[in-house]
Amino acid sequence: MRLATYASTATAALLIAAKLAAWIATGSVSLLSTLIDSALDLAASALNLMAVRQALQPADHEHRFGHGKAEALAGLGQAAFIVGSGGLLMVEAGGRLVHPEPVTHGEWGIAVMVFSILATFALVAFQRRVVARTKSLAISADSLHYAGDVAINASVIISLLLAMGPGWTVADPIFAIAIGIWLMINAAQIARGALDTLMDRELPDSDRDRICALVLAHPEVQSMHDLRSRTSGRQGFIQLHLELPGTLPLAEAHRIADEVEAAILAEYPRFDIIIHQDPADSAEPHRHPD
């Protein structure tokens, strides 16, 4: 995870330098849009770097459940950066739409965009490998944004070709506005994922059904209730109540709970599992909806 944050920060810094030179040479507003996006990437990647370092800190006396929600806070910060840059971009593009300006040295811009696509594609491929192994929310948000950058850079190439070839200078701001809308959509997706974590959203119904199936597959478990779950960065938490025969010795109830926990951990290895045993004939009410 740390290596992924270093890679994204370095990539963003490299692309800023290349795009700044190309924008100065071409004056293209669509190229300016991708320059702004890369500057945003650098800020977001630096934020991610700090958040991931914090999230990877082990649980301590003051944070018994770890520091995983630092990733979600970084995701909200990313969303805010994206909304701000997208809004500024659309304002600039709107002015250029009313008063179009010609694009010069478009071939320089195209060369920089091709380089940007190759560098971004390599970074996204690496980030997706990291996300597949770690389930990191911060890296996932960063990867989503950079994946969008591939499409953005491709659209800038098209806008430059249209402005250089048929002379459709209006294509440049139109593509910039479309990129701004794309950034807003990305911001909404990132913010939604971050808020789900911060608000302790339950696992999807498919996962909850699978957990119930694993629990009830144990031959000595009569039933279960009060299943609760949430995630915090890489770490997840599952809590549930087992219903066991009321005459069962404590040692036997403990053994069954351990076996159920092992079955769940086999499929959800990054989860902390808390199991409470109840006598099946108890009249204890369910305190939480299943």
Side-chain angles (χ1 to χ4, degrees):
M1 287 173 61
R2 289 192 182 95
L3 184 58
T5 61
Y6 298 151
S8 63
T9 302
T11 300
L14 177 62
L15 294 183
I16 285 174
K19 291 176 181 179
L20 178 60
W23 173 61
I24 292 173
T26 64
S28 166
V29 71
S30 63
L31 209 155
L32 172 62
S33 71
T34 188
L35 171 60
I36 292 174
D37 187 51
S38 290
L40 168 69
D41 289 343
L42 180 59
S45 294
L47 181 64
N48 266 355
L49 193 153
M50 292 184 290
V52 165
R53 290 186 64 179
Q54 180 67 21
L56 289 177
Q57 296 296 317
D60 55 35
H61 182 71
E62 294 180 342
H63 304 88
R64 301 285 187 172
F65 291 95
H67 303 78
K69 287 190 177 181
E71 291 191 51
L73 293 173
L76 286 181
Q78 276 197 15
F81 279 128
I82 294 171
V83 168
S85 65
L88 290 174
L89 170 61
M90 287 193 282
V91 169
E92 175 67 20
R96 191 68 67 90
L97 190 61
V98 176
H99 304 289
E101 296 182 14
V103 173
T104 59
H105 301 294
E107 64 279 359
W108 294 8
I110 291 173
V112 169
M113 287 300 98
V114 170
F115 170 73
S116 298
I117 288 174
L118 294 175
T120 305
F121 185 81
L123 175 63
V124 169
F126 175 59
Q127 287 177 323
R128 288 183 174 176
R129 287 185 60 189
V130 173
V131 171
R133 291 183 58 184
T134 67
K135 309 300 181 186
S136 167
L137 176 64
I139 305 301
S140 178
D142 215 28
S143 179
L144 177 64
H145 190 199
Y146 277 105
D149 288 353
V150 174
I152 288 173
N153 292 333
S155 71
V156 171
I157 291 176
I158 296 173
S159 73
L160 290 173
L161 289 173
L162 291 174
M164 293 166 54
W168 296 348
T169 55
V170 73
D172 186 40
I174 287 175
F175 273 80
I177 290 172
I179 291 168
I181 294 172
W182 178 275
L183 290 175
M184 295 293 189
I185 293 173
N186 269 355
Q189 291 176 328
I190 292 170
R192 183 173 57 196
L195 287 172
D196 283 348
T197 296
L198 291 172
M199 297 300 293
D200 291 333
R201 185 182 179 90
E202 281 282 340
L203 291 176
D205 288 341
S206 58
D207 287 313
R208 287 175 55 84
D209 291 342
R210 181 56 185 158
I211 293 168
C212 289
L214 290 170
V215 173
L216 298 177
H218 194 289
E220 296 176 90
V221 173
Q222 295 191 0
S223 187
M224 64 170 289
H225 59 270
D226 284 352
L227 170 61
R228 293 188 290 169
S229 61
R230 65 184 179 92
T231 57
S232 178
R234 301 173 63 208
Q235 183 70 45
F237 301 90
I238 296 172
Q239 301 178 23
L240 59 94
H241 288 224
L242 288 183
E243 296 183 20
L244 304 171
T247 58
L248 204 63
L250 176 60
E252 286 299 300
H254 181 72
R255 174 187 60 80
I256 294 170
D258 281 349
E259 291 172 357
V260 169
E261 179 181 355
I264 299 173
L265 281 173
E267 295 198 22
Y268 297 88
R270 297 190 184 277
F271 279 73
D272 186 277
I273 301 169
I274 301 174
I275 297 177
H276 178 77
Q277 301 94 27
D278 286 332
D281 53 357
S282 170
E284 176 188 353
H286 295 187
R287 291 176 294 177
H288 305 281
D290 287 335

